[in-house]
Every structure is written in C-alpha cells, then in structure tokens.
Amino acid sequence: MAVDLPRSFTIRESTHRILNPFTPEKLATLGAALRMPAGASILDLCSGKGELLCTWAAAHGVTGTGVDISTVFVSAARERAAELGVADRVTFVHGDASTYASPELVDVAACLGGTHIGGGAAGTVALLERQLRPGGVLLIGDCFWRSEPPSQEAIEGCHAATRDDFNTLPGLVERFGGLGFDVVEMVLADEDSWDRYAAAQWMNIRRWLDANPDDELAPELRAELEHDPLRHTRFRRHLLGWGVFALMRR
C-alpha cells in the first residue's frame, strides 16, 4: 500500500498554502535573505503544498525538487507550480522524505517543520547534509521554547510529551554549533504567524464538520475543535516558538 498522511491532516490544512506557522511575508523574507543565485538547486523534504519551491522559483529563478508523503499535498504543489508558471523548474515527488536520495547534490537542502524524519534536529541535519554540495546551505525549521513551560499541562498543550522535547532558542542555536555548523540566517515565527496557522485550521475543521456530520472522523475533529483554541491561546501562542535556521558547515 502506498504511504500517505492520515486524512485528518488534509482536512485540518485544506486551505493552507504554508503548512507551518510562517506567513507568506516571512517565507519571502527568508528567500530574499539567502541571496540565492538564479539556477540554484533546492531539495525540500516534507515539502507540503510546495509554496517554498514555487514562490522562490518565481521570485529568484531557482530550481528544485520537493518530496512529501501526502498525495493531496503533492497534487496541490503541482497545481501551484502550474499557477505560478514554474512547472518547468520545480518537481514534486510523492514519497517518504526520510529515505529519499537526491540523484544530484544540491545548493540548498531544506526541511521546514518535518524534523521527525531524522528523529530530531540533529538527525535531520545529517540527513540533509548528505544531499548537499560543499559550501551549500541547510534550512531547518523547528520548534523551541520561547519561555519556560509552567506545568505538564502546558507542555502537552504545546504538542510535547516532556520539557526536553524542545530546546530554548539559544539552546537550539548552540546545538547547531555543536554539530559543526554556523547559523548564518534565521527567520522566526511570531504570535500572529501562529494565529494564521492554527486559527485557520479551526475554520477548516468547522466547515468540514458542517458538511460531513456523519463521517467517521467527525467525533475526533469535533473534540479537537472544542479544545484546540483554548490550548492555543493558553499555551502555544506565547510559549512555543518556531523558526527557520540557515546553516553552513564550519
């Protein structure tokens, strides 16, 4: 059987173009900050709906390949590439990003919000570096604690099991240094970024529930909609940070 994401993911993020707490403006800021030459090659693992590759190909003339486990997201990425007129410069592959091997080394290797594929940030850095040309740039998108979680309830409200599941921002930067990398750029989400990511999910879920009240997933998503806005406003919005870090081997 082909791999794919559970259906709840595609319902929750049905109207999203960016599948993490980044706004289009922040994604554009990151693309400009990297100062990529036209024709630079990018590998984007866990590429979602392809917004990074498609918009950067349109704005900066880069080329690239995106890999994602969701057939729905890969289809959306191909549609986005056609919409922006960059289908000749970017390719999207349905598959397991954790085992994908690029046929050629790339200038930029990225994984924004999918560090589970490497068992965490360190493993994902190692996975990406195997695909990277000497002197190339790694992009890692990951969570960190903006402030100390006050309780186990707060930790679980931020989708973590223990305090140690996430680092602090200085701790994460220090971790990258310990792996032998310079942090050469970063763009961080803010509370509004989190709102645009999380709150849009609530509307997607509610619209879907109204249209599909008898679906087998309805009880699960109904419960999520009842509880997630409070978890977001009580905990995640101010406790949990997220950002993309550009790394170069020392």
Side-chain angles (χ1 to χ4, degrees), residues 53-119:
L53 283 175
C54 292
T55 57
W56 289 6
H60 305 292
V62 299
T63 64
T65 299
V67 183
D68 201 272
I69 200 170
S70 168
T71 53
V72 172
F73 293 165
V74 168
S75 177
R78 291 168 179 162
E79 291 176 4
R80 184 64 165 153
E83 177 187 355
L84 295 183
V86 296
D88 60 331
R89 298 204 289 276
V90 295
T91 301
F92 294 98
V93 176
H94 172 242
D96 184 348
S98 68
T99 59
Y100 181 82
S102 176
E104 297 180 355
L105 299 181
V106 298
D107 300 306
V108 179
C111 181
L112 275 55
T115 54
H116 60 277
I117 66 171

Side-chain angles (χ1 to χ4, degrees), residues 130-224:
R130 293 198 292 269
Q131 326 263 5
L132 193 68
R133 289 177 181 156
V137 175
L138 300 183
L139 298 178
I140 293 285
D142 209 3
C143 289
F144 56 87
W145 295 117
R146 292 178 64 188
S147 57
E148 193 66 28
S151 65
Q152 183 62 28
E153 182 186 13
I155 291 169
E156 293 174 5
C158 293
H159 301 306
T162 72
R163 160 65 178 77
D164 294 337
D165 283 356
F166 303 132
N167 218 317
T168 63
L169 179 57
L172 191 56
V173 171
E174 185 176 34
R175 181 75 184 279
F176 293 140
L179 295 172
F181 288 87
D182 290 321
V183 177
V184 297
E185 259 293 358
M186 69 179 190
V187 179
L188 304 184
D190 54 26
E191 291 183 351
D192 180 64
S193 309
W194 272 113
D195 292 344
R196 297 310 343 117
Y197 179 55
Q201 293 181 14
W202 310 333
M203 180 66 83
N204 291 340
I205 292 171
R206 176 54 195 264
R207 296 297 193 206
W208 183 87
L209 284 168
D210 288 348
N212 302 274
D214 299 322
D215 190 282
E216 64 181 2
L217 286 179
E220 171 190 335
L221 292 176
R222 176 71 253 172
E224 180 176 332

